[in-house]
Amino acid sequence: MSTIELPTPDRTIIGRRGTIVQDLMRLVSPGSVISDDDGRRAFETDAFTAYKRMPLAVVLPRSTDEISRVLAYCHKHGIKVVARGAGTSLSGGALPAEDAVVVGVSRMNRVLEVNYEDRTARVETGITNLQISAEVAERGFFYAPDPSSQLACSLAGNIAMNSGGAHCLKYGVTTNNLLGAKIVLVDGEVIELGGNHLDAPGYDLLGLFVGSEGQFGIATEATVRILRVAEGARPMLLGFGSIKAASECVSGIIASGILPVAIEYMDKPAIHVCEAFAKAGYPLDAEALLIVEVEGSPDEIEALLERIGKIAAAHAPTTVRVSGSAEESAAIWKGRKSAFGAIGRIADYLCMDGTIPLGRLADALAGIGEIGERFGFRVANIFHAGDGNLHPLILYDANTPGEVEKAEACGAEIMKLCVDLGGCLTGEHGVGIEKRDLMRYQYSDTDLAQQVRIKDAFDPDWLLNPAKVFPLDLQRGARRA
Amino acid sequence: MTQIMRPTEEAELARIIADHARREAAIEIVGNGSKQGIGRPVTAATQVVTRNFRGVTLYEPSEMVISARAGTPLSTIQNELDKHNQRLAAEPLDLGPMLGNPEGAATIGGVVMANLSGSRRILAGAVRDQVLGLRAINGRGEIFKTGGRVMKNVTGYDLCRGLSGSWGTLAVLTEVTLKVLPNTEETRTLLVLDQPDELAVELMCAAMGTPFEVSGALHLDETLAGRLAALDLIEKGRPTTALRIENASPAVAYRIAQLSARFRPHGQVVELDHAASIRFWRAIQRLQFLVGTTGPVWRISTAPSRATEVVRAIRGYSELNVAYDWSGGLIWIETPASADAGAADIRRVVATLGGHGTLIRASETVRAGVECFQPLEPGVMSLSRRLKKSFDPAGILNPGRMYVEL
Ligand SMILES: Cc1cc2nc3c(=O)[nH]c(=O)nc-3n(C[C@H](O)[C@H](O)[C@H](O)COP(=O)(O)OP(=O)(O)OC[C@H]3O[C@@H](n4cnc5c(N)ncnc54)[C@H](O)[C@@H]3O)c2cc1C
Ligand SMILES: Cc1cc2nc3c(=O)[nH]c(=O)nc-3n(C[C@H](O)[C@H](O)[C@H](O)COP(=O)(O)OP(=O)(O)OC[C@H]3O[C@@H](n4cnc5c(N)ncnc54)[C@H](O)[C@@H]3O)c2cc1C
């Protein structure tokens, strides 16, 4: 049923599976190699579940040294490697291949050092995103990037995908919060990039590594910035009678000079599903809902919410509700944070992830509606409006033959619309396999050739997470042939 | 004889580079030349000046985004932003005056290529954190684009960051798209006077650990404080620790009061109002505390918790004037002139204690003889060499500017 082409695996590598597993076992501590069918099956896909491939073997090492040995071995024998964190990628970034070894960092999850004076934490990358914040919460600090998957996803995956979340309007995404990393290169060499100071010498290799989707090396340790938690934070709900009014309100807030920590947007279908699930008190009569959160002391919060209320008033809101208590704030966010899960309970869905210039928001939503109608799908929209990062959810029924393919085609049209409006194919989920073949829609072959050459510089034989990010004909091998 | 070329069109510039690539002939890339005095001198028969790539090409204040051709002067961009009460978040330094050049002459391409961020970096990120998209020409003479004009973008590799701070050694920029931020309603600054370095850094770190969003944490020793005209009304020439708050007016008042209460027991505390605060930080942005002198200047990046140790160790070798910015994470050091501008000692100290140093001001003879940028670990250097090759296989763009081999 898959429409995305995956390369034919190398039979000779698969034929040597027994030997390779034996060899890997000698390189890592006992219990770190998974080679039985059931064990491997747990790693055959990520959160982009339409595609599955049994990996050759799975290795879950306990140290950088072990990872270095595994990569050196695979490099020497021409075996492909797919790095894995928690497997929550929505673009098929962590999808394995039958001739590839999955190297996961999930067992490397220690906090190595916290320095409150410098406001940094050094951790192993298998740690979950939320665990970093939990570690420093007692002293009033937190790690800022907050993907909705933060309970599960690893810092490793965050680094590879440059993940962000609702609060990155103010605090930035992973790349803005990472100071250093220990990285194992494809041949097993270990390098340190950056450190616990703000600027690194030479080229910004760390900046290049972030978002490279597991194609440049495996990150095993990282130094991240930790920030002091604000004195307080409070969300307000704004309901509007039209998409246009809500979109203009977003622009109005940004143009006024207020920079809220988050501006989240939901359209009517999303509001209804989330409300049924979370009982957050979302207004069911609204065509569009904004959750705007601001931070500061109680007085500051009061003043900011009042100003935002005034800006909203110009766009005829149907609901203006400021959270009155911690419980109410939690409920408001619960509705938003559980949105994907809530929608998953009523339908199968494909979660798209494109960005658009804020000024084109109303055009984008109208266009998405039209595309959905043309394909006969309901589309719910939930997204980070402050930075124009859309998440259209295409609702379909996986039991109807042909629906997945149709939903994928519908998604592709939506992605193209984002590019046409001046935006891009992915704001946070990455290219993976999902958007690989759309890359030419956003970039010229010259643009892509420059990127592909950088991949060559890090990984000349394309052993690390191949078949992702770039159209297959641009990848090493195809180019040589 | 240097041949100077001033293309006005991308295609023309691409042809020039492709032609030089074919002949393996080096090119020095110059914006306004305001930083030609930084790094190793480049030897090239051709100089390509990007000054004619001029003008703001897109500005959407309500989307917080601005695009400009690479040769646009920073001052032009700042004027545009002023009209809509916005600013470049990273507060890029104007090194002109400090290097004996005019103010405001830097081009936006040069700013991105130098990635030298000002005091606000601790809160708002570096220049490279604000780069959303670039158009550029690689060393093969191919025009390419990367990124875009939206705030979030993970479509392919992050070449915006990869190119930022590469000093024109990977590609020639033709257009830059940056994220901008609204100007805040008010800014005020607390000055705590007479703190010794150790206490000053401790105090700055404590301030950064509060929830008050300090957007500038700087400490000047008495000599450097003595050179700041912006301090005229206060007693000049006393060690000065400055903490800046920028926000809506009521928030600023509240936060300044909180900080002031906390730090009053440390010594005399002076408060700069909005106008004085702006004057003060503008002077810092121009590095006025280093203007008018000629001694070698180093820029050292380290962890705040190690800052005073680094300075103490270097003081063991010579007298220094010192400013700590970024809460101690960025140290400006002015040393007495010497054959190597103190490079041997400074590098040894930094290697032992952690961090890295760049020689920012020194005579051409000195710069040709020492590494101006921090030498790289072998593994990182070999990766850097491969990266350089992927952009500029013939090695014609600013060869040797950062490192002999790049
Ligand atoms: C319900 C849900 C909500 C989500 N919400 C968000 C959101 O709000 N924002 C957002 O940005 N994303 C979101 N995501 C996507 C996903 O959680 C992120 O991409 C996350 O960073 C992936 O982390 P992971 O540890 O699961 O990585 P994986 O899925 O295991 O891997 C992702 C990529 O990282 C690479 N990788 C893994 N480990 C390493 C390593 N050590 N070194 C180098 N490369 C490595 C893999 O090869 C792969 O390419 C969401 C996902 C789900 C399921
Ligand atoms: C030693 C030194 C230290 C400095 N330190 C700081 C600092 O800490 N903070 C700060 O903000 N500023 C610093 N500057 C100044 C900073 O470089 C300028 O703000 C600005 O970058 C220079 O603009 P320009 O166009 O005049 O630069 P130029 O001197 O013309 O160029 C600067 C660099 O960028 C390259 N370049 C210029 N235009 C392009 C282009 N279109 N494409 C590719 N490459 C290009 C040049 O080849 C050169 O390597 C420093 C300058 C020097 C010389």
Side-chain angles (χ1 to χ4, degrees):
Chain A
M1 61 159 192
S2 53
T3 56
I4 300 169
E5 186 194 344
L6 294 171
T8 323
D10 184 337
R11 289 286 145 208
T12 60
I13 299 277
I14 295 174
R16 281 163 42 209
R17 200 172 92 80
T19 322
I20 292 170
V21 167
Q22 290 303 315
D23 290 346
L24 288 173
M25 282 178 167
R26 274 193 291 275
L27 299 174
V28 292
S29 40
S32 304
V33 177
I34 298 170
S35 59
D36 62 303
D37 288 0
D38 282 350
R40 284 187 291 150
R41 193 161 296 119
F43 296 86
E44 68 179 354
T45 187
D46 54 22
F48 190 56
T49 51
Y51 295 81
K52 294 184 168 51
R53 290 291 182 275
M54 265 299 233
L56 195 69
V58 178
V59 192
L60 302 177
R62 295 179 189 278
S63 69
T64 302
D65 269 358
E66 291 187 3
I67 293 196
S68 165
R69 287 199 289 271
V70 169
L71 288 200
Y73 170 83
C74 290
H75 183 247
K76 185 165 161 217
H77 295 92
I79 303 164
K80 297 180 183 111
V81 171
V82 175
R84 185 179 175 103
T88 67
S89 162
L90 287 167
S91 60
L95 177 77
E98 293 94 329
D99 58 353
V101 174
V102 167
V103 179
V105 290
S106 56
R107 286 183 182 163
M108 296 175 57
N109 54 13
R110 289 176 304 162
V111 173
L112 302 171
E113 187 188 345
V114 178
N115 185 327
Y116 290 100
E117 204 177 354
D118 296 333
R119 291 168 299 125
T120 57
R122 195 161 60 85
V123 299
E124 291 180 328
T125 57
I127 192 168
T128 63
N129 175 296
L130 208 54
Q131 219 180 319
I132 305 174
S133 289
E135 188 71 30
V136 297
E138 210 184 326
R139 293 274 300 262
F141 284 78
F142 74 116
Y143 173 62
D146 60 341
S148 310
S149 50
Q150 67 187 145
L151 188 61
C153 67
S154 70
L155 182 64
N158 290 179
I159 292 171
M161 292 309 203
N162 194 16
S163 301
H167 290 80
C168 65
L169 178 60
K170 175 170 173 188
Y171 293 115
V173 293
T174 303
T175 195
N176 309 120
N177 289 280
L178 183 73
L179 297 178
K182 186 179 271 188
I183 287 159
V184 185
L185 299 175
V186 66
D187 60 359
E189 180 173 7
V190 179
I191 59 168
E192 302 247 13
L193 298 177
N196 68 340
H197 36 77
L198 288 182
D199 276 347
Y203 294 141
D204 188 7
L205 297 173
L206 183 64
L208 263 181
F209 189 86
V210 177
S212 62
E213 305 204 14
Q215 298 199 310
F216 287 177
I218 297 192
T220 59
E221 286 179 24
T223 303
V224 298
R225 293 229 276 174
I226 52 170
L227 302 177
R228 178 63 193 254
V229 178
E231 283 179 273
R234 205 169 345 145
M236 83 190 283
L237 286 182
L238 295 167
F240 295 91
S242 74
I243 288 169
K244 189 159 172 281
S247 310
E248 283 170 358
C249 181
V250 173
S251 303
I253 293 171
I254 301 274
S256 76
I258 300 175
L259 198 59
V261 257
I263 308 182
E264 296 291 298
Y265 188 115
M266 288 189 200
D267 68 1
K268 191 161 194 164
I271 299 169
H272 280 246
V273 180
C274 293
E275 178 59 19
F277 179 80
K279 308 275 182 293
Y282 293 165
L284 294 174
D285 59 334
E287 286 298 322
L289 174 71
L290 298 180
I291 303 173
V292 185
E293 179 157 284
V294 297
E295 290 182 341
S297 69
D299 288 349
E300 291 170 16
I301 290 175
E302 208 62 57
L304 280 171
L305 291 176
E306 199 184 307
R307 279 177 66 193
I308 292 169
K310 279 196 188 123
I311 295 166
H315 306 283
T318 52
T319 300
V320 178
R321 216 186 74 215
V322 172
S323 160
S325 65
E327 296 74 45
E328 204 178 338
S329 300
I332 287 172
W333 277 112
K334 180 170 175 233
R336 167 62 185 91
K337 294 242 171 190
S338 58
F340 292 1
I343 289 176
R345 298 198 322 165
I346 61 155
D348 300 302
Y349 69 84
L350 210 57
C351 174
M352 308 311 295
D353 163 49
T355 66
I356 45 128
L358 259 188
R360 308 303 300 274
L361 195 50
D363 295 335
L365 292 174
I368 290 168
E370 268 165 38
I371 294 169
E373 237 163 74
R374 181 145 46 84
F375 282 85
F377 291 122
R378 276 203 297 158
V379 182
N381 285 288
I382 300 182
F383 55 92
H384 314 306
D387 34 40
N389 188 186
L390 306 181
H391 289 312
L393 303 181
I394 303 169
L395 312 190
Y396 70 101
D397 177 8
N399 294 323
T400 311
E403 286 278 282
V404 183
E405 290 79 356
K406 212 169 79 171
E408 283 180 1
C410 176
E413 289 299 307
I414 291 176
M415 301 318 312
K416 288 180 180 174
L417 171 71
C418 291
V419 175
D420 291 342
L421 291 173
C424 67
L425 294 170
T426 168
E428 57 182 27
H429 294 170
V431 178
I433 55 163
E434 186 199 13
K435 289 157 193 160
R436 187 189 73 194
D437 298 324
L438 283 172
M439 286 290 269
R440 279 203 169 92
Y441 199 79
Q442 182 173 337
Y443 291 119
S444 73
D445 275 11
T446 315
D447 302 339
L448 292 175
Q450 183 54 58
Q451 301 218 5
V452 158
R453 280 189 216 112
I454 297 174
K455 166 73 170 162
D456 292 344
F458 277 87
D459 175 20
D461 300 319
W462 283 66
L463 293 176
L464 296 175
N465 213 9
K468 314 280 169 72
V469 185
F470 301 103
L472 290 181
D473 62 318
L474 289 180
Q475 303 202 1
R476 187 83 178 190
R479 282 181 295 136
R480 260 193 303 213
Chain B
M1 252 296 294
T2 311
Q3 169 189 222
I4 300 179
M5 304 181 90
R6 297 191 173 79
T8 52
E9 294 307 322
E10 236 177 23
E12 185 187 355
L13 177 52
R15 266 196 311 275
I16 294 172
I17 296 176
D19 171 59
H20 280 74
R22 238 181 335 267
R23 296 188 284 113
E24 298 192 0
I27 300 175
E28 175 172 22
I29 302 145
V30 177
N32 255 335
S34 70
K35 338 301 171 227
Q36 259 181 293
I38 301 186
R40 300 169 50 85
V42 173
T43 318
T46 306
Q47 214 179 60
V48 167
V49 177
T50 57
R51 208 173 332 180
N52 290 336
F53 287 84
R54 228 173 235 257
V56 171
T57 48
L58 173 142
Y59 180 29
E60 292 286 354
S62 67
E63 294 175 16
M64 306 194 292
V65 53
I66 193 164
S67 305
R69 300 184 81 206
T72 312
L74 192 54
S75 52
T76 305
I77 291 177
Q78 255 147 12
N79 288 342
E80 259 329 285
L81 295 176
D82 282 345
K83 289 184 204 157
H84 289 92
N85 202 24
Q86 295 189 327
R87 66 184 177 199
L88 293 176
E91 206 173 17
L93 297 189
D94 187 349
L95 293 195
M98 190 263 261
L99 296 170
N101 297 318
E103 233 175 79
T107 64
I108 195 66
V111 165
V112 170
M113 280 296 159
N115 183 37
L116 292 164
S117 321
S119 302
R120 202 181 288 117
R121 191 216 188 297
I122 46 173
L123 186 69
V127 171
R128 64 163 176 264
D129 290 304
Q130 267 88 47
V131 180
L132 301 178
L134 297 173
R135 284 183 70 84
I137 303 173
N138 64 18
R140 299 163 190 253
E142 295 168 347
I143 303 171
F144 67 95
K145 66 169 184 304
T146 182
R149 56 169 288 203
V150 288
M151 296 298 147
K152 283 169 82 187
N153 185 347
V154 291
T155 323
Y157 304 145
D158 189 353
L159 299 200
C160 290
R161 279 178 87 94
L163 288 169
S164 299
S166 64
W167 291 87
T169 61
L170 297 178
V172 184
L173 303 184
T174 57
E175 190 179 30
V176 172
T177 300
L178 299 169
K179 171 186 173 177
V180 296
L181 280 185
N183 264 329
T184 41
E185 198 173 292
E186 191 177 339
T187 171
R188 276 196 238 170
T189 299
L190 273 191
L191 303 179
V192 186
L193 301 178
D194 301 328
Q195 301 301 302
D197 291 9
E198 283 78 9
L199 288 180
V201 170
E202 230 172 72
L203 190 151
M204 293 192 287
C205 289
M208 293 306 299
T210 66
F212 305 129
E213 302 179 312
V214 172
S215 71
L218 170 89
H219 176 72
L220 300 172
D221 71 11
E222 56 191 37
T223 307
L224 297 188
R227 294 183 194 158
L228 268 200
L231 286 177
D232 269 349
L233 294 177
I234 300 120
E235 291 158 85
K236 220 163 136 171
R238 293 163 64 179
T240 303
T241 313
L243 301 171
R244 173 173 61 182
I245 298 285
E246 300 173 287
N247 214 298
S249 301
V252 171
Y254 165 78
R255 293 175 184 199
I256 284 281
Q258 294 285 316
L259 284 177
S260 170
R262 180 172 308 205
F263 295 125
R264 203 164 296 123
H266 288 251
Q268 189 185 344
V269 173
V270 178
E271 192 180 317
L272 301 184
D273 66 9
H274 183 74
S277 190
I278 286 188
R279 269 199 308 280
F280 178 85
W281 292 99
R282 276 226 181 103
I284 301 303
Q285 195 177 3
R286 277 186 236 115
L287 298 177
Q288 204 192 65
F289 53 87
L290 294 168
V291 172
T293 54
T294 54
V297 170
W298 287 83
R299 180 180 180 277
I300 294 171
S301 183
T302 190
S305 58
R306 288 191 302 251
T308 54
E309 211 182 334
V310 166
V311 168
R312 215 176 318 122
I314 300 173
R315 275 216 172 101
Y317 301 102
S318 67
E319 276 182 28
L320 308 174
N321 299 321
V322 180
Y324 300 84
D325 202 348
W326 298 357
S327 169
L330 173 65
I331 312 169
W332 291 99
I333 286 182
E334 191 180 35
T335 67
S338 71
D340 75 341
D345 299 329
I346 290 177
R347 295 255 186 256
R348 195 168 48 248
V349 167
V350 166
T352 316
L353 296 175
H356 63 93
T358 311
L359 178 58
I360 295 287
R361 185 171 74 187
S363 73
E364 187 162 337
T365 332
V366 170
R367 281 184 289 116
V370 300
E371 291 274 18
C372 296
F373 291 86
Q374 178 81 19
L376 302 175
E377 296 297 317
V380 175
M381 181 47 102
S382 88
L383 200 49
S384 303
R385 227 181 281 124
R386 279 178 276 150
L387 184 68
K388 163 86 175 171
K389 260 207 151 65
S390 78
F391 280 95
D392 178 20
I396 58 164
L397 302 179
N398 275 356
R401 173 97 192 221
M402 290 179 82
Y403 298 97
V404 182
E405 6 173 10
L406 294 184

